[in-house]
Amino acid sequence: MKKLAAILSIFILIAAFIYLGWRSIEHEVFMRENHEKMLAQSRVDNIKSSIESLFNQRLVYLTSLFQLLEKNADSFDNLLASQPDIKNAFEIHRNKIIYLSNNTDLQWIKIVESIQYDNSILFSPNTSSELFQPTSGWYQSYGYLIFWSKQRDTIRGFELSLINFSLDVICLFENQPIIDNFKLFDGDKQIYVNGELPSANNINVMLDYPLQNWQLTYYYSSPKIVNLYWLGGWALVIFVTFIVGIVWYAYRDYTRTVRLARQQVSFVGQVSHEFKTPLTNITLYSEMLKEQLVDEPEPIPTYLDIIFSESKRLTRLVQNVLNFNKQTKLNVKLVNLAGLVERIYHTFKPILDTKSLQLNLIINCDKDYVINTDEDKVMQIVSNFLSNAEKYAADGKKVDLLLNKEEKQTVITVRDYGDGIPNHLLKQIFKPFYRIDSSITEGVSGTGIGLTIANQLALQLRGTIEVTNEEPGIAFSLILSE
């Protein structure tokens, strides 16, 4: 069930990566398309501004001509002869036509007469308020584009030559290095075309009054979305492949570690099982030898007691290893901790003496101090601390075994004076089969389950194991609550 849940979680994770990656590609495509559209709109605005700027130049020029007429009283005929941009002209004074060029153009005559009868038609295209009447502006009717000016009771007007203006627009674009693709129309008539047409997309814009009949069609290409999809798709495939590879490598490493751990547990279990028979024999014969040598002088009886008790303890340790993954039953009773620690001291002192290690016993409580606990498990935990000190801290020359009675706690500490353990590894040492890879463990045999078992036993006793680096050495403390 757990394996299925893990596979499902990995599948969901990969699917989420693919979804987010594809959405990122789509977002990039949208951003590029939007960027191209905004860039095209900007170019359209520039082209439109160029045309309108050229048109505004005509407005300024025609305004100056009106001022010239007022100051110098030049005749319209002379002005028309010298200005190719002006096709026709008129002057109306107090609703009476004083001057009218081109008397043969009936449409032109009709437009001027309509202005004569109702000059308010000139104002409406140039203002948004009925209370305000401009003094100049543009008027367009039947294809005639007129710029007019009113001074007191006199209205003058020029017809702008749209042909000449169109030619000026063409010259404007021809003299500029324009790379844009666009067309310019005046109604149905094409005025100018530039670039290769058509492209994938286009923008249509109508110019402002009085060139509202002019239409600008701008063509632009879409970004190469297919290439972007291919590139993004391959990047997504590579990324997903990388993630799958990491997951597969982690899974293989995990299964290898689990398989190795199972092999170690199986090996330790088999070896421990083989230990049971010789240990039983040692216990039996040490007990028989103790009965035979009961009258021998000291320290022979004491040594026999240690052999017998240690063989019994070793038998229990083997049984604990066989039940490594099973929680053993507690045998809680009143235990004299001072006496227990003293027995542990006498047991390990000869062993540490052979390694030139001085074992110091420090008991900071009454010799009759008792608590409810499991004697075997406490002895197993403290013995593990001392065994580690004997194996890994021989360079420290001494080991302290301390028993302290605090407020509502009892603390049994084994402190060595060796090289210690790096702080970042203090939590790792309680993991099954973990051994520190350093010079202090080189050449020292071990399975890496001693502290794991000790930690499990401490939890069963409702206690904790605390590890602190000292200067020098390290201290392992079993903390028991009363």
Side-chain angles (χ1 to χ4, degrees):
M1 190 65 183
K2 291 182 178 180
K3 186 176 182 180
L4 180 61
I7 294 174
L8 184 60
S9 300
I10 293 172
F11 177 78
I12 293 174
L13 180 63
I14 293 174
F17 274 126
I18 294 174
Y19 174 75
L20 293 176
W22 190 255
R23 289 302 300 269
S24 298
I25 295 172
E26 290 182 336
H27 177 72
E28 181 65 23
V29 169
F30 172 76
M31 291 296 294
R32 293 197 181 188
E33 289 181 337
N34 192 51
H35 177 265
E36 289 294 331
K37 186 174 181 180
M38 292 177 64
L39 183 62
Q41 186 64 52
S42 175
R43 297 297 302 159
V44 168
D45 293 339
N46 289 338
I47 296 172
K48 180 182 175 184
S49 298
S50 299
I51 298 173
E52 292 175 345
S53 176
L54 187 63
F55 189 75
N56 289 331
Q57 292 177 15
R58 295 292 186 277
L59 185 149
V60 174
Y61 179 67
L62 294 175
T63 302
S64 66
L65 291 180
F66 283 131
Q67 295 174 353
L68 184 63
L69 283 172
E70 292 178 2
K71 292 180 180 179
N72 300 329
D74 289 345
S75 66
F76 278 98
D77 292 332
N78 294 334
L79 194 62
L80 291 173
S82 62
Q83 302 295 330
D85 287 342
I86 301 176
K87 290 180 63 177
N88 294 303
F90 70 87
E91 182 176 355
I92 300 173
H93 181 70
R94 292 183 178 179
N95 297 331
K96 182 179 180 181
I97 299 175
I98 298 176
Y99 176 80
L100 179 64
S101 66
N102 195 358
N103 293 324
T104 59
D105 189 345
L106 298 179
Q107 189 64 48
W108 168 249
I109 296 173
K110 183 177 180 181
I111 293 173
V112 175
E113 289 177 348
S114 63
I115 297 174
Q116 174 191 2
Y117 296 134
D118 183 12
N119 55 41
S120 65
I121 62 175
L122 299 175
F123 305 142
S124 56
N126 299 278
T127 181
S128 58
S129 174
E130 295 180 356
L131 300 177
F132 172 75
Q133 293 185 353
T135 59
S136 64
W138 292 99
Y139 176 70
Q140 191 174 53
S141 178
Y142 299 102
Y144 292 81
L145 183 58
I146 300 171
F147 183 72
W148 57 269
S149 176
K150 183 178 181 181
Q151 297 294 332
R152 299 180 182 88
D153 297 329
T154 302
I155 299 175
R156 297 184 181 94
F158 295 137
E159 180 193 356
L160 181 66
S161 175
L162 288 176
I163 295 177
N164 288 341
F165 179 72
S166 299
L167 292 175
D168 290 340
V169 170
I170 294 172
C171 292
L172 173 67
F173 292 138
E174 291 292 340
N175 294 329
Q176 294 181 0
I178 301 176
I179 60 173
D180 304 284
N181 303 327
F182 66 92
K183 286 182 179 181
L184 186 62
F185 295 88
D186 180 5
D188 296 333
K189 296 180 295 183
Q190 180 176 293
I191 298 176
Y192 183 75
V193 60
N194 186 78
E196 299 178 0
L197 304 172
S199 296
N201 304 292
N202 63 79
I203 298 176
N204 293 314
V205 176
M206 304 300 294
L207 272 63
D208 296 334
Y209 183 86
L211 299 177
Q212 71 274 14
N213 293 329
W214 286 41
Q215 176 179 322
L216 174 64
T217 303
Y218 187 91
Y219 299 89
Y220 68 96
S221 301
S222 298
K224 295 182 179 180
I225 299 175
V226 175
N227 294 340
L228 186 62
Y229 274 116
W230 273 105
L231 182 62
W234 276 111
L236 189 60
V237 168
I238 292 172
F239 180 75
V240 170
T241 303
F242 177 73
I243 294 296
V244 171
I246 291 178
V247 172
W248 175 249
Y249 176 80
Y251 174 75
R252 288 186 60 187
D253 186 67
Y254 170 75
T255 54
R256 184 180 62 83
T257 303
V258 171
R259 185 172 61 254
L260 181 61
R262 288 175 178 173
Q263 291 174 353
Q264 290 176 327
V265 171
S266 177
F267 172 76
V268 172
Q270 291 175 3
V271 172
S272 300
H273 183 75
E274 295 297 326
F275 282 169
K276 292 182 67 177
T277 300
L279 281 174
T280 302
N281 292 334
I282 292 172
T283 304
L284 176 62
Y285 283 102
S286 63
E287 187 176 9
M288 293 172 59
L289 188 60
K290 180 181 177 181
E291 292 178 356
Q292 294 293 327
L293 301 177
V294 66
D295 296 329
E296 291 293 323
E298 292 291 340
I300 293 177
T302 302
Y303 290 164
L304 287 174
D305 287 337
I306 293 175
I307 293 172
F308 178 75
S309 61
E310 285 302 295
S311 62
K312 295 288 288 183
R313 189 172 68 86
L314 188 55
T315 301
R316 291 192 296 269
L317 290 177
V318 169
Q319 187 62 40
N320 288 336
V321 172
L322 291 174
N323 297 324
F324 176 59
N325 290 322
K326 301 177 182 178
Q327 187 171 355
T328 57
K329 293 182 180 180
L330 290 175
N331 183 21
V332 179
K333 60 182 180 180
L334 284 176
V335 177
N336 186 332
L337 277 186
L340 177 61
V341 171
E342 190 171 354
R343 289 203 307 273
I344 296 173
Y345 166 78
H346 288 297
T347 300
F348 276 88
K349 184 171 176 27
I351 300 173
L352 270 63
D353 287 343
T354 60
K355 295 290 185 73
S356 300
L357 279 170
Q358 178 184 347
L359 180 60
N360 302 316
L361 177 63
I362 303 172
I363 298 178
N364 296 320
C365 64
D366 296 336
K367 291 187 177 181
D368 296 330
Y369 174 59
V370 295
I371 64 169
N372 279 310
T373 188
D374 189 311
E375 181 178 0
D376 287 341
K377 289 179 172 49
V378 173
M379 181 178 290
Q380 184 174 347
I381 295 170
V382 178
S383 297
N384 180 270
F385 296 164
L386 287 169
S387 296
N388 288 338
E390 178 258 327
K391 288 191 289 186
Y392 303 119
D395 294 340
K397 301 302 180 184
K398 65 177 180 177
V399 177
D400 296 335
L401 175 59
L402 303 94
L403 173 61
N404 292 307
K405 165 96 170 50
E406 299 179 358
E407 292 182 357
K408 292 186 178 181
Q409 291 181 332
T410 302
V411 183
I412 305 174
T413 303
V414 174
R415 188 261 171 98
D416 64 53
Y417 293 82
D419 295 331
I421 300 174
N423 287 324
H424 67 279
L425 296 178
L426 293 181
K427 292 183 179 180
Q428 305 290 330
I429 59 177
F430 292 100
K431 293 182 178 180
F433 308 106
Y434 179 83
R435 299 193 73 208
I436 299 174
D437 186 11
S438 66
S439 58
I440 63 174
T441 59
E442 187 176 352
V444 180
S445 61
T447 61
I449 63 172
L451 286 175
T452 305
I453 295 175
N455 192 50
Q456 291 177 352
L457 295 177
L459 292 176
Q460 291 182 38
L461 295 174
R462 296 184 180 179
T464 57
I465 294 178
E466 187 177 279
V467 187
T468 54
N469 269 315
E470 305 290 345
E471 293 296 335
I474 193 167
F476 286 84
S477 298
L478 170 62
I479 303 174
L480 300 173
S481 301
E482 295 183 4

